Amino acid sequence: MNKKIVSIVLFLAFSYFSKAQNLQSPEDFLGYKIGSKFTPHHKIIEYVKTVAATKKDMVIAEKYGTTNEGRELMLLYISSPENINNLENIRKNNVRITGILKDAEKPVTTNAPVIVWLSYNVHGNEPSSSEAAMLTLYALVNPANQQAKEWLKNTVVIIDPCLNPDGRDRYVNWYNQMVGTNVNADPQSREHSEPWPNGRSNHYNFDLNRDWAWQTQIESQERIKKYNQWMPHVHVDFHEQYYDNPYYFAPAAEPLHEAITPWQKEFQEVVGKNNAKYFDANGWLYFTKESFDLFYPSYGDTYPIYNGSIGMTYEQGGHSRGGLAVVKSDGDTLTLMDRVVHHFTSGISTIEATSLHAKKVVTEFEKYFNDAIAGKNVLYKTYILTSNNQYKIQAIKELLIKNNILFGTLNVAGLKAYNYQSNKDVEVKPLTYTIAISTCQPKGVLANILLEPKSKLSDSTTYDITAWSLGYAFGVETYALKEKKEINYAVILNAKLKNYHTNYGFLIKYNSINSVKFLTKLLAQGIKVRYSEKPFVYNGKNYERGTLIVVKAGNDLSKINEVVNNVGKEIDVDIDSVTTGFMDKGLDFGSPYVKLIKRPNVLMLTGEGVSSLAAGEVWNFFDKQLEYPITLISAENFNRINLNRYQVIIMPDGYYKFLNDKTALEKFKNFVASGGKIIALEGAVNQLANLELGFKLKNATDKDADKSDYSLLKKYAEREVDYLPSSIPGAIYKIDVDNTHPLAFGYDSIYYTLKLDANIYEFMKEGWNVGFLKKENYVTGFAGYKVKENLKDGTAFGAIENGRGNIIFFADNPLFRMFWENGKLMLCNAVFLVGNE
């Protein structure tokens, strides 16, 4: 790094001799120079709290949450004494500007301070930014920094010094155990090879930078509450990338979602040029307009953009392999100090650029929300989501509430609209439960992006998935109207709690995660629960396959009444009492098609070779949502596991080396043959398909294979797009479902899956092809033509009996990032229903 720092902005961060009395620099407080070692999270929190206590007139520290491991989540508000004294009024005025807050006061844009939010360390093993956060805080409040004083007159800076404390400390603690007295910059040294699951993710191995919109994790949930209370004008998300890469800052790469406004693009250029000025002066390499696009809505740059902000990602080379120093491929040594200074520089530069354009930033911010409320620049003005399953609609409501998106009811009589399932304009046919969302509201842009049936791609080379529409993800009938309709926003009250009593038993509707949670609570209390494999009629009411049956046979009647009432107060499900086992139509409760559900002990294989993110989703789902015990054991220890303790083994996406060992493979097969159940997901399915277990991967047929060798003549300049015909970064496909099989109980005849690869499986002769693709099942999102050719006439999920046991496989992830709501019940079916004798 060029040690010459030409700007007073940078100089002041390291000028410790001109300090206010008692104000400590990070070095003074920590006892070491920033960049000479990694700072544990608790010391970062201690430092920022100390600064806030010392500079009460300029800094407010606010705890906004606690992580799964008990670490504090902290926000810092930094501005001039005048603004800090008026901070709550500034916040309210800004939310009035958006139209979200409607009270007696009118919004004021004249001289309204601009709000810059800086988010650090969302990926725990990208640790340099939290170090930079401390320097940034100190530079802003250091009385010697006259420039900062000027900026803070019209700017409120919000700093989140560490979005992922659990992941950060996982990395920092590991690194400090690996490094010696003298740093080893050799990239092959062990201190540059972080072990599984690494520190990128949070406690549950979840990638928090994919969770902004979905808010499935506690860190995201608590942060977005605060974000929506402030609605900043500029947001920067600080990251790290491979250590060989130069620094990246905005403007972003294509594809850019068409909802991004000309001003948002323009101001990214303004900030980018300001950053470039400092990087050029110091001889630091950087790149813009490449690699990092603005499309998927749940990133730390796109989510703010779709909420009216100027959202930007900054990426410093380093990542987990950077350590305290690493030798790059060009022979130069990259140090932690280099990485910290680069992030510090871009952060300070962003504050400077925003302050200099504060009036324009606030004016355009107001225009953004005025346009949103007017419904400008969106094709569809009204969305209607409808289902016979109240719990699916309820789950959508909860997501909309998290994002401050308004919804209500609408008289749909006589309306025609685009129907997602038929891809045609048809008459709207509401089902039992319906909500409507207008995009003519403050959060209209975000609502439209989450709900639109097809998102327009300007460039197929994208960083992430290209389809996510809530109608498909939640499995509900969806309509889109181009006309604005008046929505009734009256509060929809939940049903009152009931008291249940029976002299014989209960019937519980099975159609949601609530049904599964209810089941697991009953099983935990020792209640015997059965389910029906066939539909039946009792007391004139139809009951579908999967209906849970709790009767006094094998149970204590008084305990049934007590437990069902207690659990019913906690979990909302449809419960009916029953007085006899003799049904009006269909099977009776003594039928062989009424199966007893045994409470299974569930094992999940984890560790090296297994996707930590995929395993984390399953762990989080069982631990936080189902509240059902699951044992995590490293796949490397498979030969040492006592499999007699478990009835179910879940294999998340990954490659399992033990399957190459004859002894381990025999043990694996014996587990299934003796009555065990294997649930394989994604890549694990691909591996099992080669083991002659009854299902095979469907091989793609390459139409280009018979062509002349001239097809091999490719242009070097087009190498980055040559793979696109075989690419599918995330597209939605329609799956036909055999909902008479227990794996699909609670489902309609159609399921929508998110395809991330071209893998499907040959139709099985001996097994059950429960979910399968026919021809023309593509729905939306980018899929290369070779992928589309292959993704037809094959099985996406199924079950096959093997001895006394079962293998259930999912070509795709039914829990994808925990927002693919409609897949969760199917995974539960695999665990609790499939294979019961």
Side-chain angles (χ1 to χ4, degrees):
M1 181 189 78
N2 186 340
K3 298 300 181 183
K4 179 183 177 185
I5 298 181
V6 298
S7 171
I8 189 65
V9 178
L10 301 181
F11 172 75
L12 286 167
F14 301 98
S15 296
Y16 299 134
F17 51 86
S18 298
K19 302 188 282 282
Q21 188 175 8
N22 298 324
L23 176 62
Q24 291 181 291
S25 68
E27 180 179 348
D28 290 338
F29 181 85
L30 298 170
Y32 55 84
K33 288 185 177 181
I34 290 289
S36 64
K37 62 172 65 177
F38 289 113
T39 307
H41 177 259
H42 73 275
K43 287 190 176 181
I44 295 172
I45 295 301
E46 288 170 6
Y47 176 69
V48 300
K49 284 182 176 180
T50 299
V51 172
T54 304
K55 298 291 293 182
K56 293 179 181 178
D57 61 332
M58 295 185 68
V59 183
I60 294 175
E62 179 186 26
K63 177 183 175 182
Y64 69 87
T66 304
T67 69
N68 290 290
E69 296 177 16
R71 295 180 177 90
E72 288 185 87
L73 296 164
M74 184 71 63
L75 286 177
L76 303 163
Y77 305 95
I78 307 111
S79 195
S80 66
E82 294 76 16
N83 287 336
I84 289 295
N85 192 47
N86 195 38
L87 194 64
E88 180 60 9
N89 289 330
I90 291 172
R91 185 193 69 79
K92 285 184 175 180
N93 181 66
N94 191 60
V95 184
R96 288 189 194 104
I97 291 173
T98 69
I100 294 172
L101 176 61
K102 296 178 180 180
D103 57 15
E105 301 288 333
K106 291 185 177 181
V108 177
T109 57
T110 304
N111 298 324
V114 69
I115 300 167
V116 178
W117 187 308
L118 306 178
S119 291
Y120 298 91
N121 217 162
V122 67
H123 290 147
N125 60 2
E126 300 174 9
S128 66
S129 66
S130 283
E131 312 287 344
M134 291 186 283
L135 288 183
T136 303
L137 171 63
Y138 177 71
L140 291 175
V141 300
N142 187 341
N145 192 341
Q146 295 303 315
Q147 287 178 298
K149 286 183 179 180
E150 288 301 312
W151 302 333
L152 295 180
K153 288 179 181 178
N154 68 356
T155 307
V156 173
V157 179
I158 302 176
I159 288 178
D160 189 332
C162 187
L163 278 68
N164 183 8
D166 293 349
R168 177 185 175 83
D169 272 4
R170 188 185 313 134
Y171 171 76
V172 169
N173 291 337
W174 166 80
Y175 183 84
N176 288 339
Q177 292 171 9
M178 295 298 107
V179 69
T181 302
N182 299 307
V183 173
N184 191 330
D186 182 350
Q188 298 181 96
S189 172
R190 69 173 188 171
E191 64 203 67
H192 301 290
S193 298
E194 192 182 6
W196 196 96
N198 73 50
R200 177 183 178 90
S201 52
N202 76 343
H203 174 79
Y204 284 102
N205 305 138
F206 201 95
D207 188 335
L208 295 177
N209 196 40
R210 307 296 191 272
D211 197 42
W212 282 72
W214 320 126
Q215 298 163 54
T216 68
Q217 303 300 298
I218 188 65
E219 297 92 341
S220 308
Q221 293 162 7
E222 297 303 315
R223 182 175 68 256
I224 300 302
K225 287 178 188 176
K226 284 296 173 184
Y227 190 95
N228 281 323
Q229 289 172 12
W230 276 93
M231 298 295 288
H233 307 111
V234 174
H235 180 268
V236 179
D237 193 21
F238 291 87
H239 286 264
E240 291 190 71
Q241 54 187 321
Y242 184 61
Y243 62 81
D244 260 350
N245 293 348
Y247 199 92
Y248 164 82
F249 48 75
E254 293 284 354
L256 304 177
H257 195 284
E258 60 184 343
I260 298 173
T261 67
W263 163 249
Q264 288 175 318
K265 298 175 187 176
E266 178 186 334
F267 197 68
Q268 283 204 351
E269 292 271 353
V270 171
V271 175
K273 288 178 180 179
N274 204 60
N275 290 344
K277 175 178 66 177
Y278 294 115
F279 277 64
D280 288 342
N282 287 281
W284 302 333
L285 291 177
Y286 57 89
F287 66 99
T288 66
K289 301 181 287 293
E290 295 181 82
S291 299
F292 302 101
D293 59 67
L294 296 173
F295 196 68
Y296 172 68
S298 202
Y299 281 132
D301 51 11
T302 49
Y303 185 84
I305 275 191
Y306 302 148
N307 280 280
S309 179
I310 311 298
M312 296 174 287
T313 289
Y314 292 170
E315 294 267 359
Q316 163 62 46
H319 205 260
S320 67
R321 297 199 65 191
L324 292 177
V326 64
V327 177
K328 301 192 298 178
S329 60
D330 63 6
D332 287 345
T333 298
L334 177 71
T335 68
L336 177 59
M337 175 62 83
D338 296 334
R339 293 149 60 191
V340 171
V341 170
H342 297 164
H343 266 332
F344 167 79
T345 302
S346 61
I348 289 291
S349 168
T350 301
I351 296 169
E352 177 187 48
T354 306
S355 176
L356 293 174
H357 297 83
K359 183 177 180 181
K360 177 71 170 175
V361 170
V362 174
T363 300
E364 290 290 341
F365 185 75
E366 180 184 41
K367 181 179 183 299
Y368 181 96
F369 286 97
N370 287 342
D371 289 348
I373 293 168
K376 291 186 178 180
N377 306 317
V378 291
L379 176 62
Y380 296 112
K381 303 293 193 297
T382 309
Y383 290 95
I384 299 168
L385 293 88
T386 185
S387 175
N388 287 324
N389 189 327
Q390 65 173 311
Y391 303 105
K392 290 184 176 182
I393 295 297
Q394 182 60 33
I396 294 172
K397 289 181 187 178
E398 290 171 2
L399 180 62
L400 296 175
I401 290 169
K402 287 178 181 177
N403 287 289
N404 239 2
I405 295 172
L406 301 174
F407 61 87
T409 57
L410 174 67
N411 182 359
V412 301
L415 291 181
K416 283 193 172 183
Y418 175 82
N419 177 259
Y420 286 33
Q421 283 66 33
S422 67
N423 293 317
K424 296 177 182 178
D425 287 334
V426 298
E427 182 180 349
V428 176
K429 295 182 178 179
L431 302 174
T432 310
Y433 304 96
T434 303
I435 59 170
I437 301 103
S438 171
T439 56
C440 302
Q441 62 166 298
K443 289 295 193 91
V445 173
L446 178 63
N448 181 66
I449 287 167
L450 296 181
L451 292 161
E452 62 186 349
K454 300 180 189 295
S455 298
K456 183 179 178 182
L457 270 171
S458 59
D459 188 323
S460 301
T461 308
T462 180
Y463 196 69
D464 211 298
I465 64 171
T466 57
W468 50 79
S469 180
L470 298 187
Y472 299 122
F474 284 71
V476 300
E477 195 87 3
T478 308
Y479 299 86
L481 291 81
K482 295 179 181 178
E483 300 82 19
K484 177 183 176 181
K485 298 296 180 181
E486 293 301 320
I487 307 295
N488 177 14
Y489 292 117
V491 176
I492 304 172
L493 298 176
N494 293 325
K496 294 182 179 179
L497 294 175
K498 298 178 181 178
N499 290 317
Y500 302 99
H501 180 77
T502 185
N503 291 318
Y504 183 83
F506 294 105
L507 300 175
I508 298 127
K509 193 171 186 178
Y510 188 85
N511 65 344
S512 69
I513 293 301
N514 276 19
S515 304
V516 181
K517 291 175 69 174
F518 199 95
L519 166 63
T520 63
K521 297 288 187 183
L522 296 183
L523 293 177
Q525 293 291 323
I527 302 294
K528 289 184 178 178
V529 183
R530 296 169 173 83
Y531 71 91
S532 169
E533 281 196 338
K534 293 188 176 183
F536 59 91
V537 178
Y538 171 73
N539 203 21
K541 183 176 179 179
N542 294 321
Y543 291 88
E544 298 298 328
R545 294 177 176 88
T547 297
L548 302 180
I549 301 168
V550 181
V551 293
K552 62 183 180 180
N555 289 309
D556 178 84
L557 190 59
S558 62
K559 185 175 182 180
I560 290 176
N561 280 297
E562 178 186 0
V563 173
V564 166
N565 272 284
N566 289 340
V567 178
K569 293 174 183 176
E570 179 185 348
I571 302 169
D572 182 22
V573 293
D574 294 330
I575 305 172
D576 294 322
S577 61
V578 61
T579 59
T580 177
F582 189 88
M583 298 297 99
D584 301 352
K585 294 181 181 179
L587 53 83
D588 298 320
F589 294 163
S591 166
Y593 292 102
V594 173
K595 306 290 187 180
L596 180 67
I597 301 175
K598 298 176 183 177
R599 187 173 189 263
N601 292 324
V602 182
L603 161 67
M604 181 172 69
L605 297 176
T606 64
E608 293 296 337
V610 179
S611 165
S612 62
L613 300 181
E617 288 168 354
V618 177
W619 180 25
N620 183 260
F621 178 61
F622 273 77
D623 203 37
K624 300 294 282 188
Q625 202 160 356
L626 286 187
E627 298 178 350
Y628 191 85
I630 183 170
T631 300
L632 280 58
I633 299 181
S634 174
E636 294 178 323
N637 297 327
F638 186 80
N639 273 331
R640 296 193 292 272
I641 303 173
N642 180 0
L643 295 181
N644 293 327
R645 297 179 181 177
Y646 308 99
Q647 291 75 51
V648 177
I649 297 177
I650 298 177
M651 302 174 69
D653 184 29
Y655 182 80
Y656 295 84
K657 291 182 180 179
F658 75 82
L659 292 174
N660 298 322
D661 178 80
K662 289 184 179 180
T663 302
L665 180 58
E666 184 178 357
K667 180 179 180 180
F668 177 85
K669 290 182 175 180
N670 287 339
F671 170 79
V672 180
S674 60
K677 188 187 303 183
I678 299 291
I679 302 173
L681 308 173
E682 301 181 273
V685 183
N686 200 357
Q687 193 175 3
L688 294 183
N690 295 319
L691 299 179
E692 299 182 358
L693 296 171
F695 58 97
K696 294 181 179 179
L697 182 69
K698 182 183 177 187
N699 293 318
T701 55
D702 191 347
K703 290 186 175 181
D704 294 334
D706 296 331
K707 293 183 179 179
S708 163
D709 285 346
Y710 290 136
S711 65
L712 301 177
L713 302 178
K714 301 175 182 179
K715 289 187 177 181
Y716 179 77
E718 296 176 357
R719 64 194 184 281
E720 293 185 356
V721 297
D722 280 343
Y723 74 96
L724 289 178
S726 301
S727 171
I728 180 167
I732 295 173
Y733 272 73
K734 183 174 72 173
I735 305 293
D736 289 88
V737 176
D738 172 13
N739 58 9
T740 68
H741 191 278
L743 185 59
F745 283 177
Y747 284 86
D748 297 324
S749 60
I750 297 295
Y751 172 82
Y752 292 92
T753 191
L754 185 67
K755 292 293 301 178
L756 296 172
D757 58 37
N759 290 344
I760 56 170
Y761 297 85
E762 295 179 1
F763 293 137
M764 295 179 288
K765 293 181 180 179
E766 303 299 329
W768 301 104
N769 302 288
V770 182
F772 47 91
L773 288 89
K774 295 180 179 178
K775 292 180 174 65
E776 307 302 327
N777 272 20
Y778 164 80
V779 177
T780 184
F782 178 77
Y785 75 86
K786 290 185 178 180
V787 175
K788 287 183 178 179
E789 284 294 322
N790 191 58
L791 287 177
K792 58 182 65 174
D793 298 326
T795 298
F797 47 86
I800 185 165
E801 296 175 5
N802 192 309
R804 291 172 45 221
N806 292 266
I807 298 175
I808 301 105
F809 64 87
F810 296 87
D812 310 311
N813 184 357
L815 299 180
F816 185 78
R817 293 180 187 166
M818 291 293 287
F819 86 87
W820 206 261
E821 195 70 25
N822 202 30
K824 294 177 180 178
L825 179 62
M826 198 172 297
L827 180 64
C828 294
N829 290 348
V831 173
F832 296 104
L833 300 189
V834 176
N836 288 308
E837 298 176 354

